Amino acid sequence: MFLDKNFLLENEIAKRLFHKFAKHQPIIDYHCHLDPAYLLENKQYKNLTQVWLNDKGAGDHYKWRLMRANGIEEELISGPGDDYEKFLAFVKTVEKAPGNPIFEWSHLELQRYFDIDLTISEKNAPEIWRRANEKIQTDSYRPKELLEMMDVKAICTTDDPTDDLGYHTELSKQDNSFKVLPTFRPDKVWSIKSSGFSNYILKLSQAAAIPIKDFNGLKQALSQRVDHFHQIGCRLADHGLNTYFYEIADEKKLDNLLIKALAGKTDFYLSEIAQFVTGIQLHLMSEYTRYGWTMQMHLNALRNNSSILKEQIGVDVGGDSMGDQASLTQNVVALFDTAEKSGCLPKTILYSLNPTDWLPLATAMQSFQGGMIQKIQLGCAWWFNDTAEGMRQQLTTMAQQSLLSNFTGMLTDSRSFLSYPRHEYFRRVLCQLLSEWVKAGRIPDDEIYLSQIVENICYRNAYNYFNFFEIGIRK
């Protein structure tokens, strides 16, 4: 049966593991793109389109990509079109999407949040719209309540070093059933080829109250911002590196590169960009180590592929793809080795958008373990790999090359408050995979043993690894 209570669970062991041990575990979403302002304001959505697809130009670009592939005009995707027409355009797209995770996720979202088990189709669209909107008009469907509905205990938003984190501070004063914590996302700091770099550094200087005239000043400003984030509860950094090349330069060379960039120049050689990026990575890694943070590295992505899409609509609207950088692992290893020799290799989660990197990264990370449980993690199947097959591949790679039982589990990487059934989806895949290993005689059919693995991956490992629940936030 389509998406019945046992979908993705193909034997009795998988069903038992999921329904008895995985299903009811709370959620820690340690990487998402939810806007903390929405949670503080906790405003009521007007209709299903706003919470599901597009709210004032912000929305779920996983869905937007499919709508463009179906020939939907942009007005009904990211534009100012009528909300019901946008909904119908998405419905028509979903009908053509079997095999795509959006097909399953969208049906799960209707089931889990709205108790709507109708197939998404033009025929059923009016009833889906009516039934969902009836619930959305109640106080139970505001942003905070949507998190509580899924038993979310913590989310980590994605925040620029220049942010004052005022929303997080105010949220920390409230008696919520979940934590909303910032994540330090410093990508703009090393974007010296960007035409807006000098203006950004001025903004960073003002936020830190530290003049940035040389590389040392930049490091001081970053250190101040890390300290500020830490005081507000941050315990995670996220580096969207896309590509990474390791190259060391002395302080004088880095000074010259920064001064040139501050003057508005963008004509840098690839080796110079690598030097600047590496210099920033090493400084921040030392700061993260000092504060006991975890660094996430998101690698091998191609961003903003379509210049027209970027110019007309903006960034983070569905114009990205998988990268194919060669020798990625070699460069990451060189960075880790340098950091480790100086005692500044923090806890790290490695993600690559290209699954061909997973095995090299997983084997490389084993060279840098020690001193704690799973210091280096292979990140979950990310973005375009958020499929049943992608999840299985990542879990299998982690199991074969390291310790699966230490894995910190799933995240949403989402801008939507309706994305949390993805955790359920992951948990079903996990339980099915373990059950297959049991059936094949590869691991014991021991319920106590298996339940510990399942519960740890679904919740406890993240709880212990990130230490989010030991935080005393400055208010």
Side-chain angles (χ1 to χ4, degrees), residues 2-3 15 19 22 165 174 178 235 251 261 284 317 344 394:
F2 176 56
L3 292 183
K15 295 172 186 176
H19 291 293
L165 304 181
Q174 298 179 349
F178 51 84
R235 296 296 182 269
E251 194 91 354
L284 288 175
V317 296
C344 296
Q394 185 276 339

Side-chain angles (χ1 to χ4, degrees), residues 13-25 404-405 427 430-431 434-435 438 443-461:
I13 297 171
K15 295 172 186 176
R16 185 174 75 246
L17 290 178
F18 175 75
H19 291 293
K20 191 172 181 179
F21 303 109
K23 181 178 180 179
H24 300 294
Q25 291 298 310
L404 178 62
S405 297
R427 293 171 181 185
L430 170 66
C431 292
L434 291 174
S435 75
V438 171
I443 58 176
D445 188 4
D446 181 330
E447 187 170 279
I448 294 176
Y449 172 70
L450 294 170
S451 68
Q452 289 176 343
I453 295 174
V454 169
E455 291 175 351
N456 286 342
I457 293 173
C458 291
Y459 181 69
R460 291 177 188 157
N461 288 342

Side-chain angles (χ1 to χ4, degrees), residues 29 31 82 104 112 122 130 208 237 302 343 345 453 464:
D29 191 16
H31 178 65
D82 177 76
E104 294 162 282
R112 298 299 179 261
E122 287 191 73
R130 178 186 61 79
L302 287 176
L345 180 60
I453 295 174
N464 294 323

Side-chain angles (χ1 to χ4, degrees), residues 35 76 136 156 178 326 379 416 434 441-442 445:
D35 187 341
L76 298 179
I136 288 170
C156 295
F178 51 84
S416 170
L434 291 174
R442 299 178 64 186
D445 188 4

Side-chain angles (χ1 to χ4, degrees), residues 221-240:
L222 286 171
S223 296
Q224 191 280 334
R225 300 314 294 162
V226 169
D227 181 73
H228 175 70
F229 270 61
H230 189 80
Q231 297 301 325
I232 307 300
C234 180
R235 296 296 182 269
L236 272 170
D238 179 27
H239 291 200

Side-chain angles (χ1 to χ4, degrees), residues 316-335:
D316 301 325
V317 296
D320 310 313
S321 65
M322 188 180 295
D324 57 359
Q325 179 191 339
S327 69
L328 176 65
T329 300
Q330 177 181 336
N331 286 280
V332 171
V333 164
L335 176 68

